[in-house]
Amino acid sequence: MGVKLSRLELSSQGEILYTSAPMKNLAANLALILLLIFSLQAQTPQPAGEDRLGWAFPVIAKVLPPRQEGERNVPDSAKTYTTAQIDDLLNPPDWFPEEDAPRPASVMKGKGVVFACGACHLMSGHGHPESADLRALTSTYIMEQMADYKSGARKDAAARMNAIAQGLSDADTRESAEWFAALKPQPWTRVVEAGTVPKSYVGPGRMRFPLPEGGMEPIGNRIITLPEDPARAGSRDPHSGFVAYVPPGSIAKGKALVAGNGKTVACSICHGDTFRGLANIPRLAGMHPVYIFRQLYISKTEIEMVSVPS
């Protein structure tokens, strides 16, 4: 049995059971939103040694497992890149150059502290869990966020976007924003409720990977997002998505919060019945769970800071 929610149905494992074809590519990750807000409320103990918010604000581990070196390939691509080329934030790999409209120069190339957009957000715009999914956000919204990064009104927890925004010209910002806005949203992350998750570490790019030696640990009060295929994700493959493991019961509790249960107003009031966004209010459907959690947490913290009497 699934839980009815608007025009889609969620299974007990958080998988989307589509009840309306147009929703298939727009709400595949709606369950993520449901559990994000729940994560703010849960009281489950953390695994031993786990930083309370280290899962949401990732920091690269001091000691990393050996990486695959040399040339790499990904399925369905005729391209070949070395590990060094894949790690190049100024000239990231473009595994499928024939997909989507021709990419703006700023998406493909960077200079100095201004990394190529495709390095973190991928050439598809999907991004990795440490960054935003930019597909189908309105160009006006993207440009407003870049202006806030540029002025310092919005601060990047990783201290990257502020420098990038300051180094980009207005023309490059607009061109990139319009290109990402024209892309259609697609399913990228599936949600699985689980009491235990693979042991993991934060590797290059601030992305979480399962430990090579394996092992499991309690999920605690966390959302643990891991690649469907670690090797492909580490190669910046825009065709290989992620799994978001969440505490048991998250989806049901999140559903009540998102619908508005006295603790908050219904999310759909601002973001629309299908969570595609309204006017210049961004879409939520399909966004990375840890990304939305970070924004909620930062907003909550900033409100508390300004609310404290001086």
Side-chain angles (χ1 to χ4, degrees):
M1 293 292 291
V3 178
K4 281 284 188 177
L5 181 62
S6 185
R7 295 164 58 198
L8 59 95
E9 189 174 335
L10 302 176
S11 75
S12 60
Q13 297 302 313
E15 297 170 340
I16 304 299
L17 308 176
Y18 303 104
T19 61
S20 178
M23 293 294 292
K24 183 172 183 179
N25 290 333
L26 290 167
N29 291 335
L30 180 58
L32 307 184
I33 302 158
L34 311 183
L35 56 94
L36 293 173
I37 304 175
F38 165 68
S39 297
L40 290 167
Q41 310 293 334
Q43 302 297 322
T44 309
Q46 296 296 90
E50 174 71 20
D51 182 0
R52 187 173 71 90
L53 288 177
W55 58 270
F57 295 87
V59 176
I60 298 175
K62 294 180 179 179
V63 180
L64 298 173
R67 296 186 65 197
Q68 174 188 346
E69 299 295 339
E71 294 185 342
R72 300 194 204 178
N73 303 96
V74 301
D76 302 320
S77 174
K79 295 276 191 175
T80 297
Y81 294 98
T82 65
T83 300
Q85 289 174 317
I86 289 169
D87 290 345
D88 188 351
L89 300 179
L90 302 181
N91 187 28
D94 188 0
W95 293 106
F96 303 97
E98 70 282 0
E99 293 183 352
D100 301 316
R103 297 165 179 77
S106 56
V107 172
M108 301 183 65
K109 305 288 183 181
K111 183 178 181 181
V113 297
V114 180
F115 302 146
C117 302
C120 296
H121 299 283
L122 303 180
M123 292 300 178
S124 63
H126 283 121
H128 283 157
E130 80 286 348
S131 61
D133 183 340
L134 300 180
R135 295 178 71 95
L137 293 176
T138 67
S139 58
T140 304
Y141 176 78
I142 295 175
M143 290 175 64
E144 284 181 353
Q145 301 313 301
M146 292 297 287
D148 285 347
Y149 278 130
K150 191 170 188 176
S151 69
R154 178 176 179 179
K155 298 187 184 298
D156 176 15
R160 284 185 170 180
M161 285 305 304
N162 296 98
I164 291 172
Q166 291 168 7
L168 275 176
S169 69
D170 291 342
D172 283 340
T173 300
R174 178 178 294 279
E175 188 177 40
S176 297
E178 291 175 348
W179 186 80
F180 284 119
L183 301 177
K184 295 181 180 180
Q186 298 174 338
W188 189 237
T189 304
R190 62 188 179 94
V191 185
V192 176
E193 291 189 347
T196 60
V197 294
K199 290 183 177 180
S200 58
Y201 69 97
V202 178
R206 294 179 292 121
M207 191 180 350
R208 187 173 291 276
F209 296 91
L211 286 173
E213 61 268 29
M216 302 291 286
E217 65 180 2
I219 192 169
N221 179 26
R222 301 178 298 168
I223 299 170
I224 298 297
T225 305
L226 297 173
E228 294 275 14
D229 186 316
R232 292 175 64 181
S235 296
R236 290 190 164 88
D237 181 355
H239 289 181
S240 187
F242 294 82
V243 182
Y245 294 99
V246 303
S250 297
I251 295 171
K253 293 182 180 181
K255 174 182 180 289
L257 285 167
V258 168
N261 64 347
K263 293 184 178 180
T264 183
V265 298
C267 298
S268 59
I269 291 176
C270 295
H271 297 277
D273 290 340
T274 60
F275 299 90
R276 305 182 193 192
L278 290 175
N280 206 37
I281 297 174
R283 69 175 175 89
L284 296 180
M287 286 293 179
H288 299 296
V290 290
Y291 176 81
I292 300 182
F293 178 90
R294 281 195 295 270
Q295 306 317 307
L296 287 172
Y297 182 83
I298 291 170
S299 297
K300 178 175 181 287
T301 303
E302 288 178 347
I303 291 172
E304 289 175 347
M305 289 176 63
V306 300
S307 298
V308 174
S310 58

